[in-house]
Amino acid sequence: MRSLLEAIERSGLTVFARIDHAAAAREVGLELAEEEVVLFGSPRAGTPLMQSDRRVGIELPLRMLVWREGEEVLLGHHDPRDLSGSYDLAEQRASLEQMARLLDELAAEAAG
């Protein structure tokens, strides 16, 4: 998680929220292996998408899931290009491509 947050910061993006699912589970007496979601992005990138189709706001900001399976720490995210199938974002294809590359780069950098 630290590596991912550092990669996000180096990219000049804003971390809007962190959701610690494991901590929430512990608070209600349940067990869950480490699992946290980071919501991050840039209004410069997300706003044009919402200007094209306001409904896409439910998908933003970008997010990545970090979780532990045994000794491994894994990273996951949805491909932003898939948003064009659910929303009217034809004019935003280049932005979606750029977001997909960014997520892949952040994941690779965090995995180190």
Side-chain angles (χ1 to χ4, degrees):
M1 178 58 70
R2 184 180 71 245
S3 296
L4 175 59
L5 294 171
E6 290 170 356
I8 291 168
E9 184 178 306
R10 278 191 296 276
S11 295
L13 302 170
T14 301
V15 173
F16 295 108
R18 293 172 62 180
I19 302 167
D20 188 336
H21 291 305
R26 284 190 299 275
E27 287 178 11
V28 296
L30 299 172
E31 289 186 35
L32 183 66
E34 292 179 52
E35 183 171 309
E36 190 169 348
V37 179
V38 180
L39 287 83
F40 61 93
S42 165
R44 287 196 195 284
T47 301
L49 297 179
M50 291 181 281
Q51 288 172 330
S52 291
D53 188 335
R54 293 184 68 152
R55 299 173 302 151
V56 78
I58 193 72
E59 311 287 352
L60 298 171
L62 295 174
R63 58 203 72 194
M64 292 187 84
L65 175 67
V66 180
W67 75 99
R68 182 177 297 279
E69 281 189 18
E71 295 301 313
E72 287 189 294
V73 176
L74 304 167
L75 294 147
H77 62 83
H78 289 293
D79 188 330
R81 294 171 291 203
D82 293 342
L83 296 174
S84 62
S86 301
Y87 304 99
D88 184 18
L89 299 174
E91 297 174 5
Q92 302 298 330
R93 177 158 285 166
S95 292
L96 295 172
E97 290 286 341
Q98 184 178 8
M99 288 177 173
R101 280 192 306 276
L102 172 69
L103 287 168
D104 288 342
E105 290 168 3
L106 290 172
E109 188 174 338

